[in-house]
Amino acid sequence: MAACGGAGCGPQCSSSSSAGGQEDALVESMGRLSTASAAAACGKCDGGGAAVAVAGGVGMCAGCFRAHLFGKFKLSVTSNAMVRPTDAVLLAFSGGPASRVALQFIHEMQSKAIQSWEASNSQALPVFSLGVAFVDERSVISASLPGHEIQAAIEDIRSVVSGLSPGDKRVHIASLEEVFSSGSDDKAARLKEVVGVISDETGRDDFVRRLRMLSLQKVALENRYTKIMLGTCASGIACHVLSATVKGQGYALPADVQYVDTRWEVPVVLPLHDCLAQELNLLCEIDSLKTQQLLDRPCSGINGLVSSFVSRLREENSSREHTILRTAQKLKPFSFNKFSANGYHDFLPSRLRPKFQNIDANECTFSEILCLICGSPFSESELLNLENTKLKAQKKIDLYTAHCCQSCHFQILPAATDMYGHFFSLLPKFWTEKVDAASASHSSLRDQIADYLLDEDDGN
């Protein structure tokens, strides 16, 4: 662990021979990340051995580099009111570098809050609780992975979490197929069947990602968590910006590149929003943070191609990922990309409260229509098609398909329309039940209006 522990450092952080040796090794092994010389002075503490060069070319020693990353994480959390003292936070943990750093940083914030609470004789604000969730996707990953290796990887994750103290942290292992109805005879077989129906490789990849998020939501709701924290970083968001554009999801793109997403029943937050994957990988080496990537599923289709393309851009200029992200953030976010003031002002400094003023009257309720499958907000043309279908639809299948965005029509729905019924019958029931409920409400409203209309035979 770095000497500064994320709280800042001074010249002493590079004065010892052991620290200097660590930084020399970093320069040798991670030279692709650094343009700084080990003999150069740290740009933060003026000590020797600047082993890491962050975006902008500022050389830092290992301790200052860690403090720099922790500062970005903490700023994202506090300035966007991601975590309140009364919250129960569920961290989505894959075992990779991004989620491992997120776990370490949020644990440190929790530890400091516990120390403050204990020092104040219980007069301070309560301390948020923290849990960790791992989604087991063995049903859809390569069958070449032996079961004992998968189980060993899961046990490694448990040991990583159990080694963090103070603060008890529950570990939840959720199987991907658990999002299907409890009445299903064989959930794993049903999962494989519905994924197999999707012929497009990119569509399959996106569909599994959606199931992963639904699995996290299920864990959060069943265990009363109030926030879901993801390890999604700037590099991942940059890839999503390009892939979403290619897949025709430009209208919905602003929804996925913000710090906060409240369209889910349990809001989702991205505290590593401003951190690059390279930085997170390097921090894991500096702090010897154990990672587990055996169960990682590589991107496929368009997502895989875009990931390779962004990697090439990174090699030429590491700041290009930030450039892509900043460009996307100029798009106007949706109403669900921010918290309202209610419930947040009590825990915010006065200088931050203007960011959480009550949303405009026309945005006071979340009214966007979301895609049945991917959750993207509907564009005007998609809304028009939905309204026309509601007036003419004779079958539920027509309503289901009308509640899917154009991108899902192209990449996820079966090419043959006669397969639609089978596909929707395989989906988790709560997806289609939402459309059924909305349709019933629409029919009831239409009947109420009809009671007040005059028949053609009635006189004036």
Side-chain angles (χ1 to χ4, degrees):
M1 192 67 67
C4 66
C9 59
Q12 69 274 14
C13 68
S14 57
S15 60
S16 67
S17 59
S18 60
Q22 179 191 46
E23 289 155 1
D24 290 341
L26 285 171
V27 171
E28 180 179 355
S29 63
M30 303 296 287
R32 63 186 182 278
L33 298 177
S34 177
T35 58
S37 167
C42 171
K44 291 290 184 180
C45 66
D46 293 327
V52 182
V54 298
V58 179
M60 293 184 186
C61 63
C64 287
F65 173 68
R66 188 185 192 284
H68 167 73
L69 278 189
F70 182 77
K72 289 200 288 188
F73 178 91
K74 187 175 181 181
L75 180 63
S76 294
V77 171
T78 55
S79 63
N80 293 282
M82 291 183 182
V83 180
R84 297 179 297 172
T86 54
D87 276 335
V89 180
L90 180 67
L91 174 68
F93 190 74
S94 67
S99 61
R100 182 64 185 89
V101 171
L103 174 61
Q104 187 65 32
F105 283 170
I106 195 62
H107 161 68
E108 291 179 17
M109 290 186 67
Q110 185 192 43
S111 298
K112 292 177 182 177
I114 291 174
Q115 292 171 6
S116 298
W117 184 82
E118 292 176 344
S120 64
N121 295 321
S122 302
Q123 297 301 312
L125 292 171
V127 180
F128 67 91
S129 60
L130 179 61
V132 174
F134 172 77
V135 180
D136 184 355
E137 301 179 15
R138 71 179 74 184
S139 297
V140 293
I141 62 177
S142 173
S144 61
L145 286 177
H148 69 276
E149 290 189 12
I150 295 175
Q151 195 58 42
I154 292 176
E155 291 305 316
D156 281 346
I157 291 173
R158 291 186 185 275
S159 66
V160 166
V161 177
S162 63
L164 298 175
S165 62
D168 294 332
K169 300 169 182 61
R170 295 176 61 191
V171 179
H172 307 272
I173 307 298
S175 298
L176 194 63
E177 58 268 23
E178 289 301 317
V179 298
F180 292 93
S181 172
S182 57
S184 303
D185 295 333
D186 190 342
K187 298 176 184 178
R190 187 172 178 179
L191 170 62
K192 291 180 180 179
E193 185 177 3
V194 70
V195 172
V197 170
I198 304 172
S199 57
D200 185 83
E201 191 174 8
T202 304
R204 285 197 299 271
D205 193 48
D206 290 345
F207 186 77
V208 171
R209 290 187 183 189
R210 176 70 171 178
L211 291 178
R212 184 186 307 142
M213 177 54 71
L214 291 174
S215 182
L216 292 172
Q217 287 284 320
K218 185 174 185 292
V219 171
L221 290 170
E222 290 177 350
N223 295 276
R224 298 184 179 181
Y225 288 98
T226 57
K227 300 283 174 57
I228 293 178
M229 182 174 288
L230 302 184
T232 305
C233 63
S235 302
I237 298 175
C239 290
H240 178 73
V241 168
L242 298 183
S243 62
T245 304
V246 173
K247 290 182 284 190
Q249 298 171 340
Y251 176 80
L253 178 58
D256 303 321
V257 298
Q258 311 300 326
Y259 293 89
V260 173
D261 187 351
T262 66
R263 69 184 129 165
W264 303 94
E265 192 168 353
V266 180
V268 175
V269 296
L270 309 179
L272 294 178
H273 183 281
D274 299 321
C275 301
L276 296 173
Q278 288 176 295
E279 296 174 329
L280 301 175
N281 290 334
L282 183 54
L283 182 63
C284 287
E285 293 201 16
I286 291 175
D287 281 359
S288 299
L289 299 178
K290 186 176 182 180
T291 59
Q292 176 55 257
Q293 296 175 285
L294 175 68
L295 304 180
D296 275 1
R297 294 181 64 256
C299 297
S300 56
I302 291 174
N303 300 325
L305 292 174
V306 169
S307 180
S308 299
F309 174 68
V310 172
S311 296
R312 293 285 297 274
L313 292 179
R314 183 190 307 132
E315 293 174 2
E316 296 178 3
N317 187 342
S318 59
S319 66
R320 286 182 174 174
E321 290 167 314
H322 274 315
T323 301
I324 296 171
L325 178 58
R326 286 194 298 268
T327 302
Q329 285 190 290
K330 296 179 184 293
L331 299 172
K332 183 180 178 181
F334 294 92
S335 62
F336 53 72
N337 284 131
K338 56 184 175 182
F339 292 118
S340 67
N342 295 334
Y344 285 84
H345 274 174
D346 294 341
F347 306 113
L348 283 174
S350 58
R351 63 185 175 82
L352 294 179
R353 291 182 182 180
K355 296 187 66 174
F356 299 92
Q357 295 300 322
N358 285 317
I359 51 183
D360 298 336
N362 61 346
E363 295 182 347
C364 61
T365 56
F366 171 54
S367 58
E368 282 88 355
I369 301 297
L370 302 179
C371 173
L372 172 67
I373 297 177
C374 71
S376 298
F378 268 22
S379 63
E380 290 185 10
S381 61
E382 291 166 338
L383 284 173
L384 181 61
N385 176 64
L386 177 60
E387 291 303 319
N388 291 336
T389 303
K390 286 181 178 179
L391 295 174
K392 302 175 183 178
Q394 300 296 323
K395 300 178 181 179
K396 285 186 178 180
I397 298 300
D398 296 332
L399 284 175
Y400 295 157
T401 55
H403 275 85
C404 297
C405 68
Q406 294 177 2
S407 178
C408 288
H409 267 274
F410 181 74
Q411 293 180 320
I412 294 181
L413 294 186
T417 56
D418 58 354
M419 287 288 294
Y420 284 0
H422 179 60
F423 175 77
F424 285 111
S425 70
L426 294 173
L427 293 181
K429 285 186 177 180
F430 61 86
W431 276 0
T432 52
E433 284 174 351
K434 291 181 180 179
V435 177
D436 294 338
S439 176
S441 176
H442 180 79
S443 299
S444 176
L445 179 61
R446 188 166 51 191
D447 292 340
Q448 292 177 33
I449 294 174
D451 291 340
Y452 292 92
L453 297 178
L454 293 175
D455 294 333
E456 293 181 359
D457 297 336
D458 292 343
N460 294 330

